[in-house]
Amino acid sequence: MRSLIIGFAIGVGLLQMQPQLPGIEWYAAGLTLAALLGFTAWKFWQPFLRVPLLLTCGAWLGFLWAGAFALYYLDQELPAAWEGRDITVIGTVADLPDRNENGVRFRFDVDHVELQGAVKPPVPPRLALAWYGNRRFQAPVEDGEQAAPARILVPDVSPGSRWKLTVRLKRPHGNANPDGFDYEVWLLQDDVRATGYVVGPAAPVRASESATNRRLEEFVWTPSNAVEYGRGWLRDRIFAALPGEPYAAVIAALVMGDQRGITQADWSIFNRTGVGHLVAISGLHITMLAALFGGLASWLWRRSFFTGAQLPLLLPAQKVAVLAGMLTAVLYVLLAGFGVPAQRTLYMLVVVGIAFWRGRILRVSVVLCLALGLVLLLDPWSLLWPGFWLSFGAVALLLYGTVGRMQPRHSMAAAASRQWWQKLWVAIKEGARAQYIVTLGLVPLTMLLFGQYSLVSPIANAIAIPLVGLVITPLALLGSLMPALVAQYFLQLPHQLLVWLADFLQWLNAMPFAVWETPLPSWWMFMLALGGTLLMLAPRGWPARWLGLFGWLPLILNAPTAPVDGSMRVTAFDIGQGMAVLVETPTHRLLYDTGPYYTPESDGATRVILPYLRSRGIDRLDRVVISHSDNDHSGGALSIFKGIQVDSLYSSLADGSPILKAAPAHRRCAAGQSWNWDGIGFTMLHPTPDSYNSDKWKPNARSCVLKVQIGRQSILLAGDIEAVQEDELLHGAMAEQLPSTVLLAPHHGSGTSSTEPFLRAVHPELGVFQVGYRNRFNHPKAEVYERYQRLGIRRLRTDESGAIIMNLGDQLEVAQYRHAHPRYWYGH
């Protein structure tokens, strides 16, 4: 069985790396072959034949199962012809809504689609919707009073409520960048095959039936709706009991698994100290709570709930404890939102519980494999996420490092006669041993997934695991169920403990060398480090365990890569509707623009730029150039300054800008500025110094235009200049600098830029358009995009290509991320 399940996991993993799904002929041939292999394995009981046959059989079954799973959901995708059209749907809110400063986001299960003319739109059964608040409402003011800012009216969307909505949809699409978050497969895993937004405001509760958007029923009962409604009820109670408290969102995360209220600053502290797994409802929490409630049930059952009914004669207390623990785990996993670590723990506890009730003894490895098989059977995409590997990896390491280490007979015999403090000391030693195994064993995997490892995590976890798992979480659960008047006082206790814990974690984080950061290792580095780690964790008496340290050497010595002498690398990020370009020379790095701002917790830097820099091991930028103040160019600047060392800033920003207050060594962009890094010339072509003295120009007109040249190859970064500025460049002192190999299309290809005389003067081989998928400005404009083609300029756009990586030196080499890293869910 174990070989079959491991093979199944291998097959699922192979399917997720395919550029396209297998054809129907693969399923017939694959099932036939799997059946033949399974029959042969059943006939041959010799392990040296049976194990490889079962592995192969399982791999075929996993490959075909994951393929059929993906095909079923991909076929539900919104057809391209229906993108951007208004459609009226009726359905229910399927999850806990996420409210922010702009509105509310939620999943919507469609029950009915209204006819559009004589046609019924082919809408997928589940949608991801945003409903933006109505900003037009403003309270009236008296004469002489200052008008208050317009309030954002966010509809009261609650889990399980049924609505009639007019929506505008598009097919799932996300940013595609090296080592970045894959939004498209995340939506696919959640069965979402269209995203969009609600058109128009919400109508009053008692609106006429002709209202565009109105609530039809306050709650529709289904098991899933009841769970989500309960989660929302708990979240509301927690925030009502802890108004304005800094860690109320962490309490909510521990009680019902909703982490969306935790700030980026807090996440940074938790991750850098290695306790991020405790902020979610993890397997550790579930196990501890199941043991706690199981032990309580056993204690009460043995005493027959103080009734004298002699209940243990009817059912052994051990079975009652197992049953209570299993029920506790099920309820808590439902609250958690059914994440992979929670699933793994639940399945293992259920399998062990069933075996105990039936009087059977199962090997721990069998239990782990059964949990692995169930997780992948229900969700083949789960192995694409770090939580899957960290969860199963930690348990596998504990099995490897502890199972089979027998205690001496005399110590086992003396265990029953130990005093309580001796038992406590033994438990502490065993816990420390388990922590050592997991801490050391997960280093290679953590470096492969994140490129960093918290060196203070053993200290942080030694305090945080028992405090959060055994004290804070049970108190938070108990307090959230109390009457509101009592809860607002009782929840202060776990919250205060969190405050003290956070202060301790901040102190640890401030220590020198708190985090070890390197570029993401290659596969051979990871495998060598993993082999060395397993050797170091081998049982005592295993020869030369110290040699495992040498397996870590490539990981320790891993250094950031850089262009070779005589070349430079330019990365145009797929950052949505915005600009962000990284220019790398052999020893220097420059970032041109920082992408858009979305919310206080999310922008182009936190979503795309900083994760990419960290994956490459880049911890310093020599220069940042912010072309102008528009949100889509400067929105991520503050996050860049917080997240990485920046030596200097060039910009056209106005005095008093918050970005300038946070920036180091600022200089205004001015035509004629130049510098040289590693034989590569950087020249500022625009704006002129005099333009800063005029009030008639919009920020676009002062965009910093930068040319970077290496030998005969060059790139022109044009910001958002428009026709007037293009004409000034054509007839100005810097006109001879315009010819370039690559042109970053001015103003994303708007209709007011990329004039024909300008394009002829630049005469690029390649035009790069940084645009968002189906952006509201319709960039690039069709006539402008066609103009590039008519002039013989090759065109690439980030919404189609993903990140575009250009190597300039003796010649121009271009790589498109979506083409170099194809997956079957891209552009389906």
Side-chain angles (χ1 to χ4, degrees):
M1 178 185 292
R2 286 172 293 180
S3 300
L4 189 68
I5 293 174
I6 292 171
F8 185 85
I10 293 172
V12 171
L14 289 174
L15 188 280
Q16 307 307 346
M17 295 188 292
Q18 300 306 306
Q20 54 186 329
L21 293 175
I24 193 65
E25 66 278 0
W26 278 79
Y27 292 94
L31 288 174
T32 302
L33 181 58
L36 180 61
L37 291 170
F39 177 77
T40 307
W42 177 68
K43 283 292 186 181
F44 291 94
W45 288 94
Q46 294 83 353
F48 71 93
L49 285 176
R50 193 165 182 258
V51 169
L53 287 172
L54 287 175
L55 283 172
T56 309
C57 176
W60 271 107
L61 291 174
F63 187 88
L64 298 175
W65 172 255
F69 214 90
L71 187 63
Y72 173 78
Y73 288 105
L74 286 174
D75 281 348
Q76 299 175 1
E77 192 162 273
L78 180 76
W82 285 93
E83 289 186 296
R85 299 167 65 174
D86 289 357
I87 302 171
T88 300
V89 296
I90 296 174
T92 57
V93 178
D95 70 345
L96 200 58
D98 179 20
R99 299 179 183 276
N100 57 45
E101 61 178 11
N102 297 318
V104 60
R105 295 179 179 273
F106 55 95
R107 298 288 190 263
F108 191 75
D109 285 345
V110 177
D111 301 327
H112 175 70
V113 182
E114 293 194 353
L115 293 175
Q116 189 162 316
V119 179
K120 186 176 182 180
V123 176
R126 171 164 285 197
L127 310 175
L129 296 178
W131 199 342
Y132 301 109
N134 180 11
R135 294 174 180 270
R136 292 176 297 179
F137 176 82
Q138 190 169 17
V141 296
E142 301 294 336
D143 291 341
E145 292 184 356
Q146 184 177 2
R151 285 194 297 146
I152 299 177
L153 300 181
V154 179
D156 183 18
V157 179
S158 58
S161 56
R162 187 190 296 276
W163 288 77
K164 176 183 178 182
L165 302 174
T166 298
V167 297
R168 194 168 296 166
L169 303 175
K170 63 180 180 181
R171 293 150 69 87
H173 189 92
N175 300 329
N177 296 280
D179 302 312
F181 177 73
D182 197 328
Y183 180 66
E184 292 178 39
V185 75
W186 181 70
L187 289 176
L188 181 59
Q189 183 186 31
D190 203 24
D191 308 341
V192 173
R193 302 314 308 140
T195 66
Y197 60 92
V198 179
V199 180
V205 174
R206 295 184 178 181
S208 66
E209 294 187 3
S210 61
T212 304
N213 302 312
R214 62 190 182 91
R215 189 171 64 191
L216 303 178
E217 297 180 59
E218 188 171 352
F219 183 74
V220 177
W221 197 95
T222 65
S224 61
N225 286 347
V227 169
E228 292 300 326
Y229 187 86
R231 296 179 73 219
W233 179 77
L234 284 172
R235 183 177 68 174
D236 292 344
R237 286 176 58 84
I238 291 168
F239 282 108
L242 298 170
E245 296 290 356
Y247 298 105
V250 178
I251 295 289
L254 294 174
V255 170
M256 33 72 63
D258 181 27
Q259 306 171 28
R260 291 171 294 189
I262 302 176
T263 65
Q264 286 292 334
D266 287 338
W267 270 124
S268 178
I269 296 294
F270 296 149
N271 290 331
R272 287 176 58 84
T273 54
V275 301
H277 64 102
L278 294 177
V279 182
I281 296 180
S282 66
L284 183 62
H285 289 160
I286 296 167
T287 304
M288 286 183 171
L289 276 178
L292 182 64
F293 280 90
L296 179 61
S298 175
W299 185 80
L300 291 172
W301 192 264
R302 290 176 190 277
R303 288 154 182 79
S304 300
F305 294 90
F306 307 101
T307 64
Q310 297 184 341
L311 295 177
L313 297 179
L314 301 176
L315 186 66
Q318 296 92 332
K319 289 191 174 183
V320 172
V322 169
L323 183 60
M326 290 168 58
L327 290 176
T328 301
V330 169
L331 292 174
Y332 201 37
V333 168
L334 289 175
L335 282 178
F338 224 61
V340 171
Q343 288 184 53
R344 185 263 303 165
T345 306
L346 176 63
Y347 299 151
M348 291 183 69
L349 290 175
V350 169
V351 170
V352 170
I354 293 174
F356 182 84
W357 266 69
R358 297 185 61 188
R360 299 185 61 184
I361 299 176
L362 292 179
R363 294 182 180 179
V364 183
S365 59
V366 173
V367 175
L368 181 62
C369 283
L370 286 173
L372 173 65
L374 282 171
V375 168
L376 293 178
L377 193 68
L378 298 175
D379 183 6
W381 296 292
S382 60
L383 55 64
L384 296 174
W385 308 110
F388 173 90
W389 296 99
L390 292 174
S391 177
F392 282 100
V395 177
L397 282 167
L398 286 172
L399 291 179
Y400 175 79
T402 59
V403 173
R405 274 62 164 182
M406 299 298 294
Q407 297 294 328
R409 287 180 178 269
H410 63 84
S411 64
M412 295 177 64
S417 60
R418 288 174 181 157
Q419 299 296 321
W420 67 267
W421 58 268
Q422 292 175 315
K423 294 179 180 179
L424 177 62
W425 176 245
V426 171
I428 292 174
K429 288 198 298 182
E430 291 176 349
R433 169 67 180 171
Q435 183 65 37
Y436 162 75
I437 293 170
V438 173
T439 300
L440 182 66
L442 287 181
V443 169
L445 182 58
T446 305
M447 299 304 295
L448 178 68
L449 295 173
F450 305 111
Q452 66 176 26
Y453 193 84
S454 174
L455 299 179
V456 298
S457 63
I459 302 173
N461 278 287
I463 302 297
I465 287 176
L467 182 61
V468 174
L470 295 177
V471 182
I472 294 177
T473 300
L475 289 176
L477 276 168
L478 183 60
S480 63
L481 297 173
M482 288 181 171
L485 185 61
V486 179
Q488 65 180 336
Y489 296 104
F490 189 88
L491 285 176
Q492 290 294 332
L493 176 57
H495 183 271
Q496 186 58 50
L497 292 173
L498 272 176
V499 171
W500 291 335
L501 177 61
D503 291 342
F504 173 68
L505 296 178
Q506 289 175 358
W507 176 76
L508 286 178
N509 183 58
M511 295 177 66
F513 310 109
V515 178
W516 169 29
E517 295 181 321
T518 72
L520 295 183
S522 60
W523 275 101
W524 70 267
M525 291 181 183
F526 165 72
M527 295 304 296
L528 196 60
L530 180 61
T533 302
L534 295 178
L535 181 58
M536 287 188 285
L537 293 176
R540 292 181 181 179
W542 193 274
R545 289 190 299 165
W546 58 272
L547 289 176
L549 290 171
F550 289 95
W552 281 34
L553 283 179
L555 199 65
I556 295 171
L557 300 177
N558 191 19
T561 59
V564 298
D565 290 338
S567 67
M568 69 175 178
R569 181 188 297 126
V570 180
T571 303
F573 293 107
D574 180 11
I575 204 159
Q577 185 63 21
M579 275 190 189
V581 179
L582 180 67
V583 180
E584 300 178 76
T585 74
T587 61
H588 294 81
R589 296 177 178 90
L590 177 144
L591 180 65
Y592 181 88
D593 281 339
T594 61
Y597 169 91
Y598 304 113
T599 70
E601 302 300 325
S602 177
D603 54 49
T606 57
R607 283 191 183 182
V608 175
I609 302 171
L610 289 173
Y612 175 78
L613 296 177
R614 289 171 185 143
S615 73
R616 292 273 314 279
I618 298 173
D619 57 4
R620 174 176 165 269
L621 293 172
D622 297 273
R623 186 155 297 160
V624 171
V625 176
I626 298 178
S627 62
H628 62 296
S629 61
D630 280 2
N631 166 64
D632 57 330
H633 295 254
S634 65
L638 293 177
S639 294
I640 288 291
F641 296 142
K642 291 178 183 177
I644 194 171
Q645 178 186 341
V646 176
D647 290 351
S648 63
L649 169 70
Y650 279 42
S651 80
S652 63
L653 300 175
D655 294 338
S657 167
I659 295 174
L660 298 188
K661 295 178 182 178
H666 174 252
R667 292 187 64 182
R668 277 183 168 178
C669 297
Q673 292 170 337
S674 64
W675 62 92
N676 188 288
W677 289 340
D678 306 313
I680 299 169
F682 294 76
T683 306
M684 200 71 70
L685 308 186
H686 185 79
T688 61
D690 294 339
S691 66
Y692 291 103
N693 300 322
S694 174
D695 295 331
K696 72 175 183 177
W697 299 114
K698 298 187 299 182
N700 284 358
R702 292 199 184 96
S703 291
C704 304
V705 178
L706 179 66
K707 180 177 181 180
V708 188
Q709 181 150 5
I710 176 170
R712 296 182 179 180
Q713 303 286 328
S714 59
I715 182 170
L716 186 64
L717 306 174
D720 274 359
I721 61 170
E722 297 179 330
V724 173
Q725 291 75 48
E726 291 179 358
D727 185 68
E728 289 178 354
L729 284 169
L730 285 171
H731 299 93
M734 310 297 290
E736 72 281 358
Q737 294 280 354
L738 287 177
S740 302
T741 313
V742 180
L743 172 64
L744 183 65
H747 204 180
H748 317 280
S750 74
T752 59
S753 59
S754 294
T755 59
E756 186 165 332
F758 180 75
L759 292 181
R760 290 187 181 277
V762 177
H763 190 58
E765 294 179 21
L766 172 65
V768 174
F769 297 82
Q770 281 192 298
V771 292
Y773 180 69
R774 295 188 59 83
N775 63 85
R776 62 190 178 98
F777 306 103
N778 294 318
H779 292 162
K781 295 293 185 180
E783 63 274 15
V784 172
Y785 200 59
E786 188 276 332
R787 186 180 302 152
Y788 278 75
Q789 183 183 37
R790 180 162 44 84
L791 295 175
I793 303 171
R794 182 187 177 191
R795 306 162 301 174
L796 291 177
R797 43 193 294 176
T798 53
D799 60 339
E800 295 177 352
S801 301
I804 300 169
I805 300 97
M806 296 159 280
N807 290 295
L808 292 84
D810 296 333
Q811 58 185 2
L812 173 64
E813 299 176 353
V814 182
Q816 306 170 60
Y817 181 74
R818 286 185 183 267
H819 294 183
H821 185 265
R823 292 294 183 264
Y824 64 82
W825 53 83
Y826 286 161
H828 180 261

